[in-house]
Amino acid sequence: MSQQGYVATPPYSQAQPGMGGYPAGFGSTPAQPLYRHYGGPPQSFPAPPTGMMKPVSSPSGMPPPQVPSHYGSNGQQNGAHPQSYPAPPYGQPPQSPYHSMAHQGPPPAQQLTNQMGAMNLGYGPGPMQSPQVPPTSPPTQQPFQTAPPPAMGHSPLGPPPTGPHSSQMAPPQSPLAGPPMAGPQSMGGPPPMGGMGRPFPGPPPPGAGGFQQPGPGAAGPPGHPQQLQGQFGGQMAGPGMAGPGMAGPGMAGPFQGGAAQMAGPPQKKLDPDSIPSTTQVIEDDQAKRGGQVYTTNLRGQVPPLVTTDYTVQDQGNASPRFMRCTTYSFPCTADLAKQCQVPLATIIKPFATVPKNETPMYVVNHGETGPIRCNRCKAYMCPYMQFMDGGRRYQCGFCNCVNEVPPFYFQHLDHMGKRVDFYERPELSLGSYEFAATLDYCKNNKPASPPAYIFMIDVSYANIKSGLVRLVCDELKTLLDNLPREDGAESSMVKVGFVTYNKILHFYNVKSALAQPQMMVVSDTAEMFVPLLDGFLVNFQESRAVINNLLDQIPDMFADTNESETVFAPVIQAGVEALKAAECSGKLFIFHSSIPTAEAPGKLKNRDDKKLINTEKEKTLFQPQKAVYEQLSKDCVSQGCSVDLFLFPSQYVDIATMGDVATHTGGSIFKYSNFQVERDGQHFLSDLRKDVEKAIGFDAIMRVRTSTGFRATDFFGAIHMNNTTDVEMAAVDCDKAVTVEFKHDDTLSEETGALMQCALLYTTISGQRRLRIHNLSLNCSAQLSELYKSCETDALINFFTKSAYRAMLNQPLKTVRENLVNQAAHMLACYRKNCASPSAASQLILPDAMKVFPVYLNSLLKTGPLVGSAELSTDDRAHQRLSTTAMGVEDTQLLLYPRLIPLHNMDVASDVVPTPVRCSEERLTDAGMFLLENGCSLFLWLGQACPPELIQSIFNVPSLAHVPVDLRSLPELDNPQSKKLRSIVDSLLDQRPSSMKLLIVKQKDRSEIMFRQHLVEDKGLHGGASYMDFLCYVHREIRQVLT
Amino acid sequence: MATYQEFIQQNEDRDGVRFSWNLWPSSRLEATRLVVPVSCLFTPLKERPDLPPVQYEPVLCSRANCKAVLNPLCQVDYRAKIWACNFCFQRNPFPPSYAGISDVNQPAELMPQFSTIEYVVQRGPPTPLIFLYVVDTCLEEEDLQALKESLQMSLSLLPPNALVGLITFGRMVQVHELSCEAIAKSYVFRGTKELSSKQIQEMLGLTNPAASGPQGRPVAPQDPAVTCRFLQPVHKVDMNLTDLLGELQRDPWPVPQGKRPLRSTGIALSIAVGLLEGTFPNTGARVMMFTGGPPTQGPGMVVGDELKTPIRSWHDITKDNARHLKKATKYYEALANRAAVNGHSIDIYACALDQTGLLEMKCLSNLTGGHIAMGDSFNTSLFKQTFQRVFSKDYNGEFCMAFGGTLEVKMSRELKVSGAIGPCVSLNAKGPCISENEVGVGGTTQWKICSLSPSTTLAMYFEVVNQHNAPIPQGGRGAVQFVTQYQHSNTQKRIRVTTVARNWADAQSQIQHIESSFDQEASAVIMARLGVFRAESEEGPDVLRWLDRQLIRLCQKFGQFNKDDPTSFKLSESLSLYPQFMFHLRRSPFLQVFNNSPDECSYYRHHFVRQDLTQSLIMIQPILYSYSFHGPPEPVLLDSGSILPDRILLMDTFFQLVIYHGETIAQWRKAGYQEQPEYENFKHLLVAPLDDAQEILQNRFPMPRYIDTEHGGSQARFLLSKVNPSQTHNNLYSWGQETGAPILTDDVSLQVFMDHLKKLAVSSAA
């Protein structure tokens, strides 16, 4: 559709010399750290003018007030706007939105002006849908005056009356023209400066000037209108098309929120609305494809976004829930692939949860001989096998080998060459299905046994004191009733076992025949072994009495312990040995408190050295201590023993090492720093419940087969690889994804496309051996534009995240960050060069499918692991790094672009979650209440001016000041607001793989810092550019590439 | 003067001492010519119901290297209140508490009838007895059940304040904690990994790192009973322990076809030793190990777990084919020595049809005074009663066991001690009276006997050092003092002092006297112990040859004969039985390995070197009683001639008790005559040996194997192999007599043996 794609605000990029000043104008932190990350020349950042600082340091200081109010009103109006003007944009110049962002006109400053104009003026109620309008309607105030009524009507929250607006309208200009001008100045350089200066004080003249530009600009790329439709139309959906274009719906929140704070500097921030908005993209996709059925019958079809709510109908390709690619159209040649630098990767989540309304997995049984496979490449029977010779033979779609059809499988072909039983056999008609595996697929040719869950509880002083041990023991009594079971099975076949430990290990015999449990202590941690066989792993139902007895006693038994040292590696070793002895696979749930310092294998010492940060050696902080743990991972994987680690540290525990085994065995790491039962108990328990109950397969081995011409070369995930092709996973659950990168071997043909088959051999929760097959077919094209068109930003960023997080083990962080930006720049530059229509170099042109890629990338660069700040705990960084390894696309998307949900104006009557707004401080309002979640944390942000009624209805306290900060869950109140909010929170928690702890954050409280870290469009608290700065930076990089 | 017989008996009754010679040759040269060394059998804790212990400390000679105890042989100057040590002649003042002493008011230890006296002394806090059960769980269900019951029963036999502990083993070793109430807790060790004592204690959580003093010397635990959770007073934990024993399961690890269960005996014992070493050093303790098979893994392994490789036999051993033998033996020896140093004894109760590795493990008991009991199954009365008898009590209702004994021997200057043979280890106490000529365990004047029973008997070997040209004055006496310190079963510390003296005699002028003072029974046992001791380290035939040589020399020395005329050979009464003892000793399982497995030999030898004289003699030459209608039961010759059709024989070999019904008797019995009232006398005849056997069974430890057989029965071999084969298939018809039963053997009979002996003794060539 779109050739050109998105063309973003050139002014910024164009004015390189002025760049330095720009960030200064916005951010409260000095510019240097920000740019240092990019490795850019420091010279480019002139010291921020003192004048600039003022507004920054006193956002609500003297000069700005008018402006905020000014914008505030705008905001409100804007907020109302979308609804009020769905139609106009279409009628008038469709370019308008386009202009606001993509005025390619030579004088960038003017374009900026235009945008400003658009913002300032275009939001009026009037029909001024586009920047072009301002000139025609010189009295700027007018629109405002007229606007309020409708605006008010639409946004009941907007308290400021119209009056002020109009009266303030003029004053604001001057402050803006003054100090804030530095921003534009720096960007636009001296010449535009003048232009810039004027538009504000006197909208009409500059506006006109600016206005002129759009014309030609629009004219430049002829296809603009259509492109617009193509690119934005979908996303913009109705309201989005409103006059202000991009700024449309997204504007509402931020502007209101920013009212007080935006002050002078926000002047620049007018532009954020004009740069691609993730929330907008998400919203548009939801609008376009949400609620629809996605039928996987076409090759190379781009699925809806992960955030979109859709239903999948499997018609020969795996659901995007299972496999999602960075692009659905592979370049035909390796050269092309190299040229565009777009990674070719698939994120496979083999056990992804399938909604109830979609068909569950069929199990195919081919009898004693096992699944039918290609003789040469061993691919499994799938829709890509071509039957021929009247059905007697079939040609493998992957290696083209012609195979005989086994007699029992023979079936006639119809006139289309399709087997008559096509629709009766899932393996012929579906993208995903399972085969029952035969003994050949079992370890030692012995039938697999049901897996076992072993709970290993650290009973050292710290865990006893924090109350954790009691909490876990109490919880297990009920939790174990919910062990995962086969669909339709009466009870779970999973066996359970219990170990407690500090410096030594205690195993428990909980055989049902016993009157009371027996404890067996193993002190020989140097060479771990399992002291008992019979009675260690038992069926919970049968041994319930003994187990409950045990769980009752454990907390008391160690109540007066003073043992503070722990071991760790021997604990895992013990688990592996236990599973080995029982000849089954399984999972270890380890509840651990401290760095293992006791004399035993895998003993660790504190190597947390903040001095290493930002040096060549920083990577060592993330490298696990090898030897013992490496071997342990191998042992675990070969036994099918997954390790889930629940950490309750009060200080450094070397997660980089401790988490190593978990991240190689398909396990997860949960961390609860300074755990307190009252505060973190619920959070932990819900994590534990989810973890215990979730669907999972064990002792898995995955192989990704591809059609000729390309092959899987690299794998990222909580996996272990013994060779280059077999992905071994001790366990794989519904949240674990493996990212697979492909490389060309040869030329791909457009005709046959690129086929892939992911086969996962695993043991089910009831001990059956199965093969889960996911097939996916992609297009191939010699045209790069095809590739760019069918890119998937969310998948891309997943790949980038994983590869960057892996690279940081071997390269200095600086290099990793540079490489990331470089590759991104190359990708975008390649598009510019090969796919976009010629345009001025100063224009930032982004492929439509990737237009929000920069914001994700920027967010990635600002994540803890990559940011390199001594203020972050090494453990947290390592934890985040490790947790990301097995994330699926949904998780990385949310992690890198949290959802910021405005609550103050939610519609309590409807059951939809309010539309999230952009993750930026500007979107916050004093009088607002926001929910922010990223899959790991959940914040409830309360603005200082949050209406007491709302506070009352949610918290049952009279005012903000009374809201307890240490509240861990929302009080259950019987009013619509409270109910609505709680249902939102619950639904969020339900959707995410891990539970999130609810943190109440009051505006301007100390705790707000944590919250602000997640406003990814803003400057990073620990370094890292704001979205807009980054965009400029990327643009500069692109230009460098292009020249 | 009473006969020597009476003298010997009287001495034995009073002092528990029997010397080979009751007159001592006065010079070294003469002594060596007597062939049988000056030596004695000494029973330190001989039961003396008539000897009440005195409640004060013994008075010691003040000379530093003497320290002999005041005794009836000392010269006392009542006026000066001074006594002279009869060993070193040091003159010592009496301690103040003896101020009232006079020739009419003598302390007990000066009275001649108190040549053996027992002191109760106060040394440190009383420490309870400790019993640590080490139980093999690789047993058949039935065996394990029986064993569990026996163990549970034994709890009621233990003194209530005794500490008890439990270690079980199979593939793993479990040390059970007994103090815990709610949940049965045990520490588990890998069965293949050797751990140092320190490691064991650390792993059991017995060391408190903070407690060790600045000098690095570990501070003794203040109250070990509290600190050690593994050893608890019986009265506190008997319920717990009974339950625990009741819940003991067979080793759960699967034993594949064709394999032996993995049994970590070596590690289990090392943990037991380590545990006691760390918690109760130098305190009386008994490790009681119950095993149903050979150690099959880890250090101390005797045989691999492959059933296709059988456990070593004598054949393998002589061929040097026993792979694990040396290593295992060395391992157990090291363990035994550690235990001995700390005064802990180790019992082995091995019940299995096949061998269990006693050969390798015997030193555990031999060096520590522990018992060995061997049986076919734990589910037999043999085991059950033997085990019960370990806890038998004496006339005072106290346990017939004592712990942590040290035996010190002091002697006159003319004597030196060469060594001891018995369940002891050397304490390496150096002194001037140690002979360079080591016999048995020598090189010391003190021995440790970790566990003593009233019958524990040591053979002590002495050497006369007086040179021939410096004769001892006529009428002089040599004296020997045995000082035995031990922990009584009632936890008292006691010292028993036995002081004996014998006259010196000039071997040239008084050879007849010396000859008549010969105690052939004691000598036979003493020589036999020497032989057995040698047999442990030497090849069987060498030992036999050596024994023969000694016998011939003795006969040459004391026999009356004309040179080269065997028929003229005569031995005096005091030596007349000695050759016969030697004949039977040569055929005994102590020296003959044929027909006995290595384990059996070890077992027999173990008991032989610790039993008192009477029992030892039975072992050498079993007793045979004959029951018939012709008169009351009578002892008969241990000869095939005694096996007659109309007799019932009762043979006691110590280890077996055989009742043999002669051919006719057996037929009668089969015909059921005993049931008929008119043949009541026959019934009585049948019952008589059973009653007598019962009496023996009552008192013997270990329980003998009880065999009831008849003519032609397969079990009759036990009898036939013991009797002197005076009639064999070779000579039966030439004798042409209708007495006795022929034995199918190529062994020589006593007659032939004696003929050869005579011939060799009179031979001038020898």
Side-chain angles (χ1 to χ4, degrees), chain A residues 55-132:
Chain A
V56 175
S57 55
S58 59
S60 52
M62 275 307 288
Q66 298 91 333
V67 178
S69 63
H70 161 79
Y71 285 112
S73 68
N74 273 346
Q76 287 138 18
Q77 289 161 354
N78 287 332
H81 196 89
Q83 287 100 339
S84 45
Y85 306 102
Y90 292 101
Q92 287 259 350
Q95 299 94 324
S96 57
Y98 195 66
H99 286 295
S100 65
M101 294 189 290
H103 286 308
Q104 310 97 325
Q110 284 166 356
Q111 285 183 3
L112 179 70
T113 316
N114 276 335
Q115 291 165 359
M116 300 289 197
M119 309 276 178
N120 286 337
L121 308 172
Y123 287 65
M128 37 193 61
Q129 306 85 339
S130 73
Q132 287 99 320

Side-chain angles (χ1 to χ4, degrees), chain A residues 516 519 521 523 528 530 553, chain B residues 172 182 184-186 188 190 203:
Chain A
Q516 57 177 23
M519 177 200 228
V521 184
S523 330
M528 206 55 223
V530 194
Q553 290 192 41
Chain B
M172 315 269 171
K185 189 172 173 184
S186 60
V188 188
R190 194 186 270 273
M203 290 187 180

Side-chain angles (χ1 to χ4, degrees), chain B residues 644-645 647-649 659-666 669 686 689-690 708-712:
Chain B
L644 296 169
R647 304 289 160 91
I648 303 176
L649 296 175
I659 296 176
Y660 174 89
H661 300 87
E663 196 171 3
T664 318
I665 303 271
R669 189 168 67 154
L686 285 179
L690 296 179
D708 190 338
T709 186
E710 60 183 27
H711 176 81

Side-chain angles (χ1 to χ4, degrees), chain A residues 504 506 508 511 513-534 550 553 557 581, chain B residues 172 174 177 181-193 195 202-205 209 240 244 247-249 252-254:
Chain A
I504 52 179
H506 321 107
Y508 296 93
K511 207 154 103 172
L514 293 174
Q516 57 177 23
Q518 291 174 349
M519 177 200 228
M520 300 193 166
V521 184
V522 174
S523 330
D524 186 2
T525 47
E527 278 179 68
M528 206 55 223
F529 62 94
V530 194
L532 76 170
L533 184 62
D534 198 18
L550 171 70
Q553 290 192 41
M557 251 189 302
Chain B
M172 315 269 171
Q174 273 177 272
E177 193 173 302
E181 291 294 314
I183 194 165
K185 189 172 173 184
S186 60
Y187 284 67
V188 188
F189 294 82
R190 194 186 270 273
T192 49
K193 189 176 174 192
L195 297 166
E202 270 172 15
M203 290 187 180
L204 289 174
N240 251 353
L244 192 60
E247 286 205 329
L248 273 191
Q249 299 295 319
W253 300 88

Side-chain angles (χ1 to χ4, degrees), chain A residues 267-500:
Chain A
Q267 185 52 47
K268 275 290 161 261
K269 299 250 165 138
L270 289 176
D271 301 301
D273 288 326
S274 62
I275 55 180
S277 154
T278 306
T279 52
Q280 188 65 58
V281 169
I282 291 172
E283 216 177 306
D284 293 343
D285 195 64
Q286 172 68 34
K288 187 178 161 206
R289 307 181 75 166
Q292 295 178 7
V293 174
Y294 173 70
T295 312
T296 67
N297 54 353
L298 291 178
R299 195 175 78 184
Q301 201 181 185
V302 184
L305 292 182
V306 284
T307 44
T308 301
D309 180 24
Y310 57 96
T311 308
V312 180
Q313 191 178 26
D314 187 345
Q315 291 198 355
N317 282 300
S319 154
R321 300 186 204 283
F322 297 123
M323 291 176 98
R324 193 171 269 274
C325 298
T326 51
T327 174
Y328 287 80
S329 176
F330 275 16
C332 278
T333 64
D335 283 348
L336 274 181
K338 199 176 166 193
Q339 197 186 345
C340 71
Q341 293 223 3
V342 174
L344 307 178
T346 299
I347 294 92
I348 307 174
K349 202 193 249 192
F351 277 84
T353 319
V354 170
K356 292 229 175 353
N357 57 352
E358 292 178 20
T359 3
M361 204 68 88
Y362 287 99
V363 180
V364 181
N365 196 337
H366 278 177
E368 281 170 21
T369 49
I372 297 171
R373 308 174 65 170
C374 167
N375 286 335
R376 190 197 289 163
C377 70
K378 300 291 175 200
Y380 294 84
M381 180 53 66
C382 68
Y384 312 141
M385 302 298 187
Q386 281 296 328
F387 286 84
M388 47 175 69
D389 272 7
R392 281 192 299 277
R393 295 195 291 165
Y394 68 91
Q395 183 174 29
C396 172
F398 299 95
C399 67
N400 298 324
C401 169
V402 176
N403 298 278
E404 295 290 331
V405 173
F408 76 89
Y409 198 67
F410 175 80
Q411 187 59 264
H412 293 286
L413 306 184
D414 66 9
H415 63 286
M416 299 284 289
K418 213 186 232 180
R419 277 175 62 122
V420 174
D421 60 354
F422 181 81
Y423 290 106
E424 289 153 30
R425 291 198 177 266
E427 74 270 28
L428 298 180
S429 52
L430 296 184
S432 302
Y433 45 88
E434 288 194 337
F435 284 117
T438 57
L439 277 191
D440 292 341
Y441 294 85
C442 300
K443 210 173 260 177
N444 306 326
N445 283 345
K446 275 200 234 161
S449 17
Y453 283 8
I454 305 179
F455 296 88
M456 315 183 96
I457 308 170
D458 167 5
V459 290
S460 65
Y461 179 73
N463 271 356
I464 291 289
K465 196 181 147 225
S466 71
L468 173 80
V469 174
R470 192 171 292 279
L471 186 72
V472 172
C473 290
D474 285 346
E475 177 64 21
L476 285 180
K477 282 188 248 174
T478 50
L479 181 58
L480 293 182
D481 274 323
N482 302 338
L483 289 171
R485 61 184 89 165
E486 206 76 35
D487 285 338
E490 201 156 287
S491 65
S492 175
M493 307 265 286
V494 176
K495 286 174 283 179
V496 291
F498 303 89
V499 172
T500 58

Side-chain angles (χ1 to χ4, degrees), chain B residues 411 416-418 429-437 442-445 463:
Chain B
M411 62 223 92
K416 282 190 174 180
V417 63
S418 306
K430 300 296 176 203
C433 53
I434 295 172
S435 162
E436 290 172 5
N437 204 353
T444 178
T445 58
E463 190 179 42

